[in-house]
Each structure stands twice: as C-alpha cells, then as structure tokens.
C-alpha cells in the first residue's frame, strides 16, 4: 500500500475532488447553459435541428429503450415518455422549449457525480486490507494478520509513478485505461491508492449502479453515470460537455477510450474518441481564457489480469456475434456474488494476480511528456524509451524531433490568439488515440496465462492447419493435445521474442524470471482453478485443451504479436 506520506500528499493539493460537492451546482449550471445556448441557436434554423425534431428523437430513443419494462419504475417512466409523445404535436414553441429545458436538466442530474471525503478516507484506509483479508486463504489469526499487512499486493503497479504525482500537482491528469472487466474500476481505485495518486472522477456504466454495495462507493467517490443505451445526440453532448467542464475546472478524470469491456480480450485498437476529445476542448477553452500555463496530461494505463472474471460470458458473446445487440451484459459473473467471491479467493488472492501499468503521459495534441526516470525504480518504464534528459522540468512537452514545445502554440493563429477550429481539434484527438493504441501495446504486461495460452493456440493451430477459431472449435481430441515438451519449447521461444521486441509488451516478473516449467505450471493452475470446467489439463506428458474458446480468449491478449514463421 502507499505510505501515509504519499496518501496525505494525494489528499491535499492535488485532490480537487474534495471540493466537488461545493462546486457541483456551478458545474451543472455551466453544462446546462452551454447545451441550451448551442441547441437553441441551431433550433432557430429549423429542419432536423428544430426543437420538435430533437424532442421526437429523444422520445423515440427512450420509448425504444423501455419497450419491455422490467419493473414498476420503468413502467412509470414509459408512461411519462408516452404522454410526452402524445402531447408533442399540439405543443406551442414556448412549450417545446420548456420541455427541452426540462430534458436537459433531467439528463444533467442523471449524469452528475458526487464525492464524500469521509467515504474516500474509509475506502482508502479500510477497504484494501479488508479486501485482502477477504480474498486470502485465512486459517487463523496469524494468517489474517499477514493478509492485512500484505494488503494490496494482489494489485501491483508499474510505470513512472513519481512523475505522475508531480504532474498531478502541476496540471490535470486524464487516465485512459484498457477495459477488460467490471472489476477494472475497483482495481484502478486500489492502484491509485498504492501509487499515492489523487482520486479521479470517472464515467461508470449505469448498469453497475444496480449493485447496492458497489453503487454506494461509486456514488460517493466521484463516479458519474453513463447510460450506454442512450445514443441520441442530446445525451452524448451533455455527457461530453460535463467531462469538458470537469477538466476545465481541474478535476482529474478517468475514462475508458475503448468504451465498454473488450469482449475478445484483444488490446483495444479502435478507440471511441468522444470523451477523449473533451481533453482538447477543455485545453483549448482554458488557453483561450488566457491561462497559457494550464496543462492536461493524458496517461495510458493497462490493466493486466492473470485470469478475467467474466471471460466465459465475454468470449461467448463475442463468438456469437451478439455483442452489438446485447451491448450491455447484465447477467455476467460480476453480477453473481458467489462467482465474484470465488474469483477473489482462487485468483485475486495470489500476489501479482493483477498488474496495473501506467504509461508515459501525452499532451492533448499527442506529444510525449518529460518524465523523471531517475527518481527511483518505481518510476522507470521498462521496455519503453522515456523522454528523459531533454528538460529539467517534468511535464514539458517534446515534439517528434525531440524539441521542447508549448502545446498551446498548436492552437494559436498568426495574431497569437486561439483559433476555434473543430477540424484541427479532431485531427489532434485522432493522433492522441493512435498514440494510446501504440502505448497500450508497449505497456501490456504479459502474464503466464496469456503466454501459455498463445503457445498452446499456436501449436493446436499448426496441427490443424488453420487459425480460424470456428474450425478449431470442431478440432479432434488428437489435434487439441500437445506434448508438454513442444509446449515448453513454444513458451520459451515466445518469451525470447517478447524480450527483444519491447513494442509488443513487457513480460510479467514471473514470465521474465521463472523457469519455463514453472510458467506452464502456474498458468495451468489458473486455467484449472476458477472457470466452470478445466480449460486445459496435463496428462501423461501432454496438455489437452478442453475449452478452445477460453484458450482463444486468453491468447488474444497477444494477438498483436505476429505468428512465428516456424509455427
């Protein structure tokens, strides 16, 4: 866990969330004023920007979402939307405007977060050791005390931590993690505490608020609600404006650029740029107001599990090609308390079961930012060339030629004033998105399970003469059986390839240092321990794959690594 000194530092100057509740009405007021100003100006032009058109778009989307209400609350909501639908045609312009303003207020209040400093202190000081105690195999008082003292070691952190603490004091951090599991928010919260970084405001899927226990902490620790079922313009614009205002006011933020959880377990390479673009919008707004020293630092983060809680549900959804139609999965392993506790006790109880790796920060136009890699081992980014030495100032932007540069200069015209250019901002946001994709690959920590799963998949694919997963699912028992000697050789070759190609990721400490037999043994224990059925088993000097879908899922974490020619 982070030392008390780190925690105290995170709580003071850089913890802007401590004042969030006092600032909430001003934040909502700013969002409301900007949305109404923009939409009413466009509505005056008529056509598909008219208030009637916009109201119909909202009503249609909400009626579609609630066409099969699941409870009394949804039945009442459906009745209200039907009533508004019936009244629309007979409304005067003044009534349409009042209805539109009411909707803006409704969605603003539905999204807005909350922060309770007492709950934060409790979560920071009590929850990590409590979780460690819960997730450990405790046989007596001595084991219980050891679990409490070892709290947080299940979640390990890597990256330029010292520099990120400095950047949190100098500007606004925007963490952009990969997204594999509904546990990600909890894991990131533990990682922030261990790193001595301040709490973040973040968008959480509204479906996660259905769990009373999880909802209590999310509601009180800065989370704002994101309803991914609502895809109409007004909701998306309110959501983006809310994020923009938070960043303008210096609130450290976190959002998942990949959107929802990655069903396939591949490293995200197609990012949703909507919320990411709010970093540029906030930066431009602050610079335009005269604050040339304002800085936003975008930090790529990878969350690397040995096993994923919802793997079975996610890969089934991916292979059945129902991801688009279901979109928000309500009935996965995260929603079942028994499975969640079983996952914790059998998987998360082990040290290093999750590794959170912070990458090198970027500025809002995609330039790399100086980090101080000499401040201790915790701040070095292994396998990644850091921008060090060009400047004595941590946080200084460095362009592609290695020159110090002021990121605000990208926004200025010949007269030295900020130019409002949406197309330019979109281009820079796309550049940042591409930089994040590259950073995700470099900073992926390859644990024993995906490494062994990749070696197994390669061997089975070579024997079958195809890498098509749908054909491999029908492969015979003989094809899905690999001699342990061949598997060991494949694991060793893959480890060597990862070691000499840092752009593919970083081997976990276990993969980097352990013997091949130990790597395979740890992976096999994981694959046998948690899932509904053993994914693969060792018998008579051979490894037999029982569940090709899950081997495919875990090896997908290495899908960006080219297939070995010999394989």
């Amino acid at each position: 866990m982070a030392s008390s000194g780190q925690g105290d530092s995170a709580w003071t100057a850089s913890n802007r969330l401590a004042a969030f509740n006092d600032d909430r009405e001003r934040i909502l007021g700013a969002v409301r004023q900007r949305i109404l100003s923009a939409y009413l100006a466009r509505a005056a032009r008529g056509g598909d920007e008219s208030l009637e058109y916009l109201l119909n778009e909202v009503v249609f989307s909400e009626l579609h979402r609630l066409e099969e209400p699941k409870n009394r609350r949804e039945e009442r909501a459906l009745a209200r939307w039907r009533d508004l639908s019936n009244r629309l045609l007979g409304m005067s312009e003044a009534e349409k405007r009042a209805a539109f303003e009411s909707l803006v207020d409704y969605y603003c209040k539905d999204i807005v977060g909350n922060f309770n400093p007492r709950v934060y202190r409790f979560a920071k000081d009590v929850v990590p050791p409590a979780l460690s105690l819960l997730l450990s195999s405790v046989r007596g008082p001595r084991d219980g005390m050891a679990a409490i003292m070892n709290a947080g070691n299940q979640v390990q952190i890597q990256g330029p931590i010292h520099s990120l603490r400095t950047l949190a004091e100098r500007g606004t951090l925007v963490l952009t993690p990969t997204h594999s599991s509904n546990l990600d928010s909890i894991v990131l919260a533990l990682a922030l505490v261990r790193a001595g970084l301040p709490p973040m405001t973040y968008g959480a899927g509204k479906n996660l608020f259905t769990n009373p226990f999880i909802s209590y902490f999310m509601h009180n620790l800065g989370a704002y609600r994101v309803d991914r079922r609502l895809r109409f313009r007004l909701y998306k614009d309110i959501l983006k404006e809310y994020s923009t205002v938070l960043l303008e006011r210096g609130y450290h933020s976190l959002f998942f650029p990949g959107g929802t959880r990655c069903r396939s377990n591949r490293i995200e390479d197609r990012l949703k740029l909507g919320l990411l673009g709010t970093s540029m919008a906030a930066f431009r707004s602050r610079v335009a107001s005269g604050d040339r020293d304002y800085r936003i630092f975008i930090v790529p983060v990878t969350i690397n599990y040995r096993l994923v809680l919802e793997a079975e549900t996610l890969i089934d959804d991916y292979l059945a090609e129902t991801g688009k139609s279901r979109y928000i999965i309500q009935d996965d392993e995260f929603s079942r308390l028994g499975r969640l506790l079983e996952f914790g006790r059998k998987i998360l109880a082990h040290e290093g079961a999750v590794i959170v790796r912070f990458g090198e920060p970027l500025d809002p136009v995609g330039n790399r930012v100086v980090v101080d890699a000499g401040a201790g081992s915790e701040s070095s980014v292994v396998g990644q060339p850091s921008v060090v030495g060009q400047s004595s100032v941590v946080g200084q932007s460095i362009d592609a030629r290695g020159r110090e540069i002021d990121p605000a200069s990208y926004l200025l015209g010949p007269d030295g004033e900020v130019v409002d250019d949406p197309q330019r901002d979109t281009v820079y946001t796309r550049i940042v998105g591409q930089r994040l994709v590259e950073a995700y690959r470099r900073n992926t920590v390859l644990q024993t399970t995906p490494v062994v799963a990749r070696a197994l998949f390669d061997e089975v694919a070579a024997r079958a003469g195809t890498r098509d997963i749908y054909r491999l699912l029908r492969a015979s028992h003989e094809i899905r059986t690999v001699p342990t000697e061949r598997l060991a050789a494949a694991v060793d070759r893959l480890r060597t390839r990862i070691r000499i190609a840092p752009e593919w990721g970083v081997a976990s400490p276990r993969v980097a240092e352990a013997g091949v037999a130990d790597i395979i043994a740890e992976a096999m224990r994981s694959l046998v321990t948690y899932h509904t059925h053993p994914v693969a088993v060792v018998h008579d000097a051979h490894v037999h794959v029982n569940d090709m879908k899950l081997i495919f899922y875990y090896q997908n974490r290495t899908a960006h690594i080219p297939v070995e020619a010999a394989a």
Side-chain angles (χ1 to χ4, degrees):
M1 294 182 63
S3 69
S4 59
Q6 293 170 359
D8 293 343
S9 174
W11 176 251
T12 54
S14 62
N15 183 16
R16 290 140 198 176
L17 268 178
F20 176 82
N21 287 358
D22 293 335
D23 203 19
R24 181 167 51 191
E25 290 306 315
R26 287 186 288 272
I27 292 170
L28 286 177
V31 174
R32 182 179 185 276
Q33 185 275 327
R34 294 181 190 185
I35 291 293
L36 289 177
S37 177
Y39 270 80
L40 292 178
R42 295 200 298 265
R45 299 195 290 267
D48 62 358
E49 301 285 359
S50 69
L51 287 179
E52 182 175 328
Y53 186 94
L54 294 170
L55 289 169
N56 271 304
E57 182 182 37
V58 174
V59 169
F60 175 82
S61 298
E62 290 285 14
L63 288 176
H64 178 70
R65 177 176 69 87
L66 296 167
E67 59 186 354
E68 294 182 4
K70 298 179 178 62
N71 50 51
R72 291 285 183 85
R73 182 171 174 271
E74 290 192 356
E75 288 174 357
R76 291 192 296 268
L78 179 61
R80 288 195 298 271
W81 288 113
R82 283 174 173 167
D83 176 65
L84 178 56
S85 176
N86 293 333
R87 292 188 291 111
L88 262 177
L89 285 178
M91 280 184 173
S92 66
E93 285 303 310
E95 289 172 328
K96 291 174 187 174
R97 174 166 178 157
F100 183 75
E101 291 179 354
S102 177
L103 290 181
V104 172
D105 287 341
Y106 168 76
Y107 289 119
C108 283
K109 292 175 181 177
D110 187 61
I111 290 170
V112 69
N114 179 68
F115 187 80
N116 187 322
R118 292 181 180 178
V119 175
Y120 173 73
R121 289 192 181 96
F122 173 81
K124 181 171 70 74
D125 296 336
V126 176
V127 171
L131 278 176
S132 185
L133 184 64
L134 175 68
L135 300 179
S136 299
S137 300
V138 177
R139 297 182 180 88
R142 181 176 297 179
D143 287 347
M145 184 58 65
I148 292 174
M149 297 301 293
N150 198 42
N153 282 353
Q154 297 92 341
V155 179
Q156 297 183 352
I157 57 172
Q158 298 179 0
I161 306 303
H162 178 83
S163 292
L164 293 181
R165 294 185 200 126
T166 301
L167 296 181
E169 298 289 341
R170 186 181 176 201
T172 303
L173 298 182
V174 176
L175 299 191
T176 54
T178 55
H179 196 10
S180 301
S181 169
N182 280 335
L183 286 174
D184 289 348
S185 296
I186 299 171
V187 166
L188 283 168
L190 289 172
L192 290 176
V193 170
R194 292 206 65 218
L197 292 171
M200 310 268 168
T201 181
Y202 61 99
K206 201 171 181 180
N207 56 304
L208 299 181
F209 286 82
T210 57
N211 181 313
F213 178 76
I214 299 296
S215 175
Y216 174 79
F217 284 98
M218 285 187 167
H219 178 70
N220 286 289
L221 296 179
Y224 56 91
R225 293 175 289 274
V226 178
D227 194 334
R228 297 191 179 95
R229 299 168 298 176
L230 303 183
R231 307 182 191 182
F232 48 87
R233 288 177 296 169
L234 178 62
Y235 184 80
K236 291 180 179 180
D237 286 345
I238 291 174
L239 192 60
K240 287 189 284 188
E241 200 62 61
Y242 180 74
S243 175
T244 300
V245 172
L246 288 175
L247 293 173
E248 286 176 6
R249 301 176 83 87
Y251 290 101
H252 303 299
S253 296
L254 178 157
F255 43 79
F256 299 101
T260 188
R261 290 169 297 174
C262 180
R263 282 9 181 204
S264 67
N265 201 36
R266 289 173 178 262
I267 299 168
E268 288 99 327
D269 58 5
R270 295 182 181 179
L271 307 185
K272 299 181 185 299
L273 302 180
L275 284 179
L276 189 59
T278 63
S279 299
M280 171 57 79
F283 181 60
R284 185 190 66 244
S285 177
R286 283 287 293 264
V287 173
S289 70
D291 190 356
R292 290 286 297 270
D293 294 328
Y294 174 72
R295 292 290 183 268
I296 287 180
F297 304 106
I298 300 169
V299 184
V301 183
T302 62
I303 306 174
N304 308 276
Y305 295 93
R306 191 175 299 164
L307 286 184
V308 175
L309 170 68
E310 312 98 311
E312 291 173 80
T313 299
L314 293 173
I315 193 60
D316 280 345
D317 200 54
Y318 174 76
L319 292 177
E321 298 183 347
T322 58
K324 290 183 179 179
S325 59
R326 292 179 70 188
Y327 198 60
I328 303 299
I329 300 176
Q330 304 277 9
D331 54 350
D332 60 20
E333 292 83 349
F334 186 80
S335 65
R336 306 168 202 158
L337 181 60
R339 289 290 279 166
L340 188 59
L341 291 177
E342 183 182 13
F343 181 79
R345 289 185 180 278
K346 291 184 177 179
I347 304 303
L348 292 186
H350 299 287
E351 185 171 332
V354 188
I355 299 176
V356 178
R357 186 175 179 85
F358 297 88
E360 191 174 76
L362 305 167
D363 68 21
V365 298
N367 291 317
R368 297 169 73 186
V369 171
V370 170
V371 293
D372 181 11
S377 60
E378 68 176 353
S379 65
S380 62
V381 184
V382 181
Q384 176 182 342
S386 300
V387 182
V388 182
Q390 292 103 325
S391 170
S392 59
V393 180
V394 173
Q396 173 66 54
S397 292
I398 303 294
D399 69 10
R401 298 182 181 179
R403 301 172 301 184
E404 294 185 5
I405 193 165
D406 179 2
S409 64
Y410 289 81
L411 310 178
L412 307 180
D415 59 356
E417 298 297 320
V418 173
V419 176
D420 188 9
D421 186 345
Q423 184 175 4
R424 172 205 63 201
D425 295 351
T426 299
V427 170
Y428 286 138
T429 300
R430 286 175 180 165
I431 291 173
V432 172
Q434 184 56 44
R435 298 282 190 274
L436 288 178
V437 169
E438 296 165 359
Y440 288 157
R441 292 182 177 180
R442 286 196 308 270
N443 289 284
T444 291
V445 181
L446 298 168
Q447 300 241 47
T448 54
T449 307
V451 167
V452 172
R454 170 61 182 268
L456 263 176
F457 188 87
D458 284 350
E459 289 296 318
V460 172
R463 294 162 72 88
T466 180
R467 297 184 72 83
D468 185 295
I469 181 58
Y470 296 99
R471 293 186 179 183
L472 293 177
L473 290 174
R474 300 191 295 271
S476 67
H477 180 280
E478 290 74 20
I479 288 177
R480 288 186 284 116
T481 301
V482 178
T484 52
E485 186 177 343
R486 285 187 62 87
L487 178 61
V491 169
D492 195 38
R493 291 196 307 271
L494 180 57
R495 177 169 66 170
T496 300
R497 295 174 69 208
I498 293 169
R499 185 179 295 135
I500 62 177
E503 68 274 14
W504 292 347
V506 181
S508 71
R510 186 71 172 161
V511 170
E513 299 165 7
V516 171
D518 291 335
I519 293 172
I520 294 174
E522 179 177 278
M524 295 304 297
R525 281 196 300 272
S526 297
L527 293 171
V528 168
T529 301
Y530 165 69
H531 290 300
T532 307
H533 304 288
V535 178
V537 294
V538 180
H539 178 69
D540 195 22
H542 287 74
V543 176
H544 175 67
V545 176
N546 289 328
D547 193 329
M548 201 67 208
K549 286 187 295 186
L550 283 172
I551 290 296
F552 174 70
Y553 176 84
Y554 285 113
Q555 77 89 34
N556 272 345
R557 206 63 179 171
T558 70
H560 59 289
I561 299 177
V563 178
E564 186 182 21

